Amino acid sequence: MNNNAIEKLQYNEIKEMLKSFCVSGLGKNLIDKLTPESNMKIVKTRLQETSEGRNILDIYSYVPLEGISNINKFIEKIEKGMVLECDELNSFSDFFRGCTKIKQFMINKEDLAPLLSSYSNSIVDFKSIEDEINLSIKGNRVDSSASKELKRIRRLIDVTEEKIEEKLSKFLKNDSNKKYIQEFFISKRNGRYTIPIKSSYKNFVEGSIVESSSKGTTIFMEPKAIGKLSQELIVLKSDEAIEEYQILATLTGIILEKIKDIKINKELIAQYDMIFSKAKYSKSIKGIEPKINNYGYIKLIKCKHPLLRGNVVPLDFEVGDNYRTLIITGPNAGGKTVVLKTLGLLTLLVQSGIHIEGEKGSEIAIFDKIFVDIGDDQSLENALSTFSSHMKNLSAIMKESNRNTLLLFDEIGSGTEPSEGAALAISILEEFYHMGCITVATTHYGEIKRFSEKHSDFENAAMKFNKETLEPLYKLVIGKAGNSNAIWISRKMGISEKVLERAQNYMKKREYNFNLVKESKVKKASFDEQETNKENFYEYKKGDKVLLLDYNYSGIVYEEIDENNNLKIFVNNDILEVNYKRIKLEIKASNLYPEDYDLNTIFQEYKERKLEKDIKRGSKKALKKIQKEIKKHYI
């Protein structure tokens, strides 16, 4: 299934909800791998499993799946030739006990859940291995009863430890030793029995130093009197470890011999956990199993989007029977996009064997592919890029679609010039229609609505809104295009009826009024205002120093005002063309230069530099000017 559709329709959020109903990591791992299925037979089986699980939960409040451990990593360890620890063997014991419980629970549920009950027949009973583990392991420790040899070794260990403690007690009670002893108790350090001795007397006591205190004031010594017994204890402890390892290895080997059947049990238990998580989810939403088909017909009766909260308006919807393409119109924030997402997500869920919230009689088609083009982040600033990304997405969808494809398009053709966008959208919808796709699209374009009205296999639908309060009702009405909500809203906001009627006429006929405003409506300047304007207007002369208002620095008038009311201003060795309203006189030329001063000398350097620059770039005009000067000089 298309990953973009999975993400846009929030399919994975439903999977997270399902995982919360699981009781083991086995079921959660299976849900992580869950994807919508397009095979009709598999979808039917998945839905039947969920429905049978729901039947059981409706009668029994408890399904004995609790306590089942995720044994995947322990199976991997065994297959690598490693020996399991006590706690890992206990996990297998818990798993075997859980298998037995669920087998016993399901075996007499044929009437309620024939399919789920039949799965229990494949569960293998490992009661003997479970008992063997429980006999040998007690409280994450190999029990003495696990073998006669282990029991013998541990008895000898107990006897040896008693002898050591007896000798050490005598050492502590001996008056001649009291001055050496820091504290009068037996301390076990690094598995060896010691007495705390004052560090200053360490050379006065025969024995081995095992450890010293952090401050160095106390030395923990193993007296010579227990040296032989300590060596015996070390050997016995080694024998104990070897025997424990052999017992753990034997238990691990027993499990390895049955690893194939254990894996089958594991898969069955994981399936049960996932199926009952779907059933628990169904019960929590009062879900139903809809009818399914493979020919593109969808009918939703009072269905709801599973992620919406609060007072959600249920959706009634139909496509794929009398029409194969549905065009939805309506106000912004009126629920058009929610319709698309509800339809898409419910289809994905059903193809995953998950119940939906709705009423009996609802029907979902099983599709090979589902594609969506839903843009949630549109803005004026990125309108072009939004349109481009939509077109790129639609192009990719067109290459991959087939006759068993569901298409969900939000605001198709938007993000560009309306008439061009509408024409393009119609052509795209038409192409998908002839490919055999089932298409649901939202739009604001009236041209698309009109096309849909005329096409026998297209249908219009509208999102209703309250004309009095101007609030959306989030209800879809199939069979009619949306009214002009803009006209209704404008009327409620007080726009005159004459203006609204003219707007409606423009919408229908596309014939506009180009009459000019009446002379009586145009305010003219009075005689006094005209005289004042004449007085205020200054005719700038070449050489005048002016302030450029937009840049806040000065320049010299190079060419006087032209027919467009623009002047050329010499600024920073360059010429700028500026409207006379964007400059302000600073000093008149007559006040800057002497009478009969040649103003052309001011700009001579600029003209020469400009000519040189034009020659370098190969300007034909500059070359002609030079040729003209040469002829003038020699003729």
Side-chain angles (χ1 to χ4, degrees):
M1 193 59 68
N2 179 265
N3 286 332
N4 181 57
I6 294 286
E7 181 183 343
K8 288 283 188 180
L9 298 174
Q10 299 171 282
Y11 174 77
N12 289 325
E13 292 184 34
I14 303 299
K15 285 172 62 172
E16 290 300 314
M17 293 173 67
L18 288 178
K19 284 164 68 175
S20 70
F21 290 106
C22 288
V23 298
S24 76
L26 294 171
K28 290 177 182 178
N29 289 346
L30 217 52
I31 288 173
D32 281 332
K33 299 173 184 176
L34 181 65
T35 56
E37 177 59 56
S38 58
N39 183 293
M40 189 75 172
K41 186 176 180 180
I42 295 174
V43 175
K44 281 183 177 179
T45 300
R46 286 181 172 183
L47 287 171
Q48 184 182 347
E49 289 172 344
T50 305
S51 295
E52 289 187 4
R54 175 70 184 277
N55 291 342
I56 292 172
L57 289 177
D58 285 342
I59 297 175
Y60 298 91
S61 58
Y62 170 76
V63 177
L65 283 167
E66 284 76 6
I68 292 176
S69 304
N70 186 349
I71 56 172
N72 283 330
K73 58 183 178 181
F74 306 141
I75 289 176
E76 291 175 8
K77 190 173 179 179
I78 291 172
E79 291 179 329
K80 288 178 181 178
M82 301 170 72
V83 174
L84 297 179
E85 301 293 337
C86 292
D87 59 331
E88 295 167 340
L89 286 164
N90 282 334
S91 292
F92 270 98
S93 175
D94 293 340
F95 176 75
F96 295 147
R97 185 165 53 255
C99 291
T100 302
K101 283 183 179 179
I102 194 68
K103 182 180 179 72
Q104 291 172 347
F105 178 81
M106 293 301 304
I107 208 158
N108 61 347
K109 301 292 187 298
E110 294 92 344
D111 294 338
L112 273 177
L115 184 62
L116 295 188
S117 180
S118 68
Y119 292 168
S120 66
N121 297 329
S122 301
I123 295 178
V124 179
D125 187 5
F126 294 109
K127 188 69 169 62
S128 60
I129 301 179
E130 180 193 345
D131 290 342
E132 191 71 31
I133 293 172
N134 294 338
L135 179 67
S136 302
I137 310 294
K138 298 284 175 62
N140 285 338
R141 182 175 182 266
V142 179
D143 192 72
S144 298
S145 61
S147 74
K148 290 180 180 180
E149 179 62 14
L150 182 62
K151 183 180 285 188
R152 185 189 70 81
I153 292 169
R154 284 183 177 171
R155 187 171 61 250
L156 290 174
I157 288 172
D158 291 341
V159 170
T160 305
E161 286 181 336
E162 284 176 8
K163 289 179 180 180
I164 290 172
E165 288 180 0
E166 185 180 340
K167 283 185 176 290
L168 290 177
S169 295
K170 287 180 180 180
F171 182 91
L172 290 172
K173 293 174 182 178
N174 191 324
D175 290 338
S176 61
N177 295 331
K178 287 183 179 180
K179 60 182 178 181
Y180 309 133
I181 298 170
Q182 182 76 281
E183 294 187 50
F184 290 83
F185 64 84
I186 300 170
S187 176
K188 208 169 186 180
R189 301 280 167 158
N190 298 325
R192 296 165 73 179
Y193 288 90
T194 65
I195 299 294
I197 303 295
K198 296 174 183 177
S199 59
S200 56
Y201 290 103
K202 63 183 178 182
N203 295 325
F204 294 88
V205 178
E206 289 187 284
S208 304
I209 296 174
V210 177
E211 193 179 296
S212 63
S213 66
S214 59
K215 293 182 179 180
T217 58
T218 304
I219 300 297
F220 296 93
M221 294 188 68
E222 181 185 78
K224 184 180 179 182
I226 65 166
K228 186 178 179 181
L229 288 172
S230 292
Q231 290 301 316
E232 290 177 7
L233 184 62
I234 289 170
V235 172
L236 288 170
K237 288 283 187 181
S238 176
D239 291 342
E240 179 189 33
I242 291 170
E243 184 63 21
E244 285 177 351
Y245 182 83
Q246 288 178 345
I247 292 166
L248 295 176
T250 301
L251 292 173
T252 302
I254 294 171
I255 292 173
L256 180 60
E257 290 176 0
K258 300 292 184 179
I259 201 69
K260 185 176 179 181
D261 290 334
I262 290 171
K263 283 182 177 180
I264 293 172
N265 275 21
K266 178 178 71 70
E267 291 170 5
L268 288 167
I269 293 299
Q271 283 286 346
Y272 272 132
D273 196 12
M274 180 180 69
I275 290 166
F276 279 107
S277 76
K278 291 180 182 179
K280 291 170 189 175
Y281 170 75
S282 173
K283 190 171 183 179
S284 72
I285 64 168
K286 297 183 174 63
I288 61 155
E289 177 188 343
K291 299 176 184 177
I292 58 173
N293 65 74
N294 59 359
Y295 47 83
Y297 177 61
I298 301 173
K299 183 176 184 180
L300 303 180
I301 304 174
K302 300 291 183 291
C303 290
K304 294 181 180 180
H305 192 289
L307 295 175
L308 293 180
R309 297 289 178 267
N311 188 22
V312 180
V313 178
L315 174 65
D316 291 305
F317 181 92
E318 192 170 2
V319 72
D321 185 13
N322 297 322
Y323 47 88
R324 297 182 64 81
T325 300
L326 186 68
I327 305 300
I328 303 174
T329 57
N332 289 327
K336 300 190 301 296
T337 305
V338 174
V339 171
L340 297 183
K341 289 188 173 183
T342 302
L343 173 60
L345 181 55
L346 296 189
T347 302
L348 291 176
L349 295 184
V350 170
Q351 292 188 208
S352 303
I354 301 169
H355 285 179
I356 60 175
E357 187 174 358
E359 292 187 1
K360 291 288 184 181
S362 296
E363 189 165 349
I364 295 285
I366 306 306
F367 293 96
D368 293 336
K369 300 175 182 180
I370 299 175
F371 293 108
V372 302
D373 185 63
I374 298 175
D376 297 324
D377 302 312
Q378 299 180 19
S379 67
L380 290 173
E381 289 78 9
N382 70 353
L384 181 60
S385 61
T386 298
F387 177 74
S388 300
S389 65
H390 282 318
M391 288 303 108
K392 183 178 179 181
N393 194 23
L394 289 172
S395 174
I397 291 171
M398 199 169 285
K399 291 173 184 175
E400 295 186 44
S401 295
N402 59 27
R403 64 176 186 162
N404 193 30
T405 299
L406 175 63
L407 304 174
L408 305 171
F409 299 144
D410 194 26
E411 299 297 345
I412 187 167
S414 65
T416 187
E417 193 275 322
S419 61
E420 190 176 8
L424 186 59
I426 290 170
S427 182
I428 290 170
L429 290 169
E430 195 177 12
E431 180 66 19
F432 281 122
Y433 167 74
H434 285 290
M435 290 171 69
C437 303
I438 297 294
T439 306
V440 183
T442 71
T443 185
H444 282 297
Y445 292 155
E447 196 64 31
I448 299 176
K449 290 187 280 185
R450 283 186 286 275
F451 173 81
S452 183
E453 286 173 355
K454 294 177 181 178
H455 197 297
S456 61
D457 216 4
F458 278 52
E459 183 62 274
N460 280 318
M463 299 303 301
K464 295 184 70 177
F465 81 113
N466 189 316
K467 294 178 181 179
E468 297 302 319
T469 64
L470 304 181
E471 293 177 347
L473 298 176
Y474 304 108
K475 189 170 182 63
L476 183 71
V477 179
I478 296 177
K480 59 177 287 187
N483 293 325
S484 177
N485 298 327
I487 298 294
W488 274 102
I489 292 170
S490 300
R491 180 174 285 114
K492 294 292 290 185
M493 294 298 106
I495 300 296
S496 72
E497 199 62 34
K498 179 176 66 175
V499 172
L500 298 178
E501 288 175 3
R502 193 162 61 241
Q504 287 176 314
N505 185 57
Y506 290 158
M507 289 166 58
K508 292 176 183 177
K509 298 182 179 180
R510 295 290 189 272
E511 294 176 357
Y512 303 102
N513 181 359
F514 296 107
N515 294 335
L516 299 178
V517 63
K518 293 180 180 179
E519 286 291 326
S520 61
K521 298 293 184 181
V522 179
K523 186 175 181 182
K524 303 290 180 64
S526 65
F527 176 78
D528 292 340
E529 288 173 331
Q530 291 176 19
E531 290 300 317
T532 302
N533 289 338
K534 285 180 181 179
E535 290 174 9
N536 291 338
F537 181 78
Y538 172 74
E539 294 186 6
Y540 291 96
K541 303 294 183 183
K542 187 173 185 178
D544 286 346
K545 184 181 180 183
V546 295
L547 176 68
L548 280 74
L549 299 177
D550 290 336
Y551 304 98
N552 200 30
Y553 49 72
S554 301
I556 303 297
V557 175
Y558 176 69
E559 284 186 10
E560 296 173 5
I561 196 164
D562 60 18
E563 66 274 9
N564 295 320
N565 292 325
N566 293 333
L567 300 94
K568 289 185 178 179
I569 310 297
F570 182 66
V571 182
N572 295 334
N573 293 322
D574 201 359
I575 301 294
L576 296 180
E577 189 170 355
V578 184
N579 188 274
Y580 81 99
K581 292 182 179 180
R582 311 308 304 158
I583 61 175
K584 179 181 178 182
L585 179 67
E586 287 190 322
I587 306 174
K588 293 182 179 181
S590 58
N591 295 331
L592 272 176
Y593 312 106
E595 194 174 345
D596 299 327
Y597 182 80
D598 185 5
L599 294 174
N600 289 324
T601 58
I602 302 172
F603 312 109
Q604 190 63 39
E605 185 182 350
Y606 165 75
K607 289 181 178 179
E608 291 173 356
R609 283 189 291 101
K610 187 174 186 306
L611 180 61
E612 183 181 349
K613 187 176 179 182
D614 289 343
I615 292 170
K616 284 183 179 180
R617 68 182 178 84
S619 170
K620 292 182 180 180
K621 186 177 180 181
L623 291 171
K624 286 181 180 179
K625 185 175 182 180
I626 292 173
Q627 290 171 353
K628 186 176 180 181
E629 289 294 326
I630 293 171
K631 287 179 181 179
K632 185 177 178 181
H633 182 74
Y634 287 102
I635 294 174

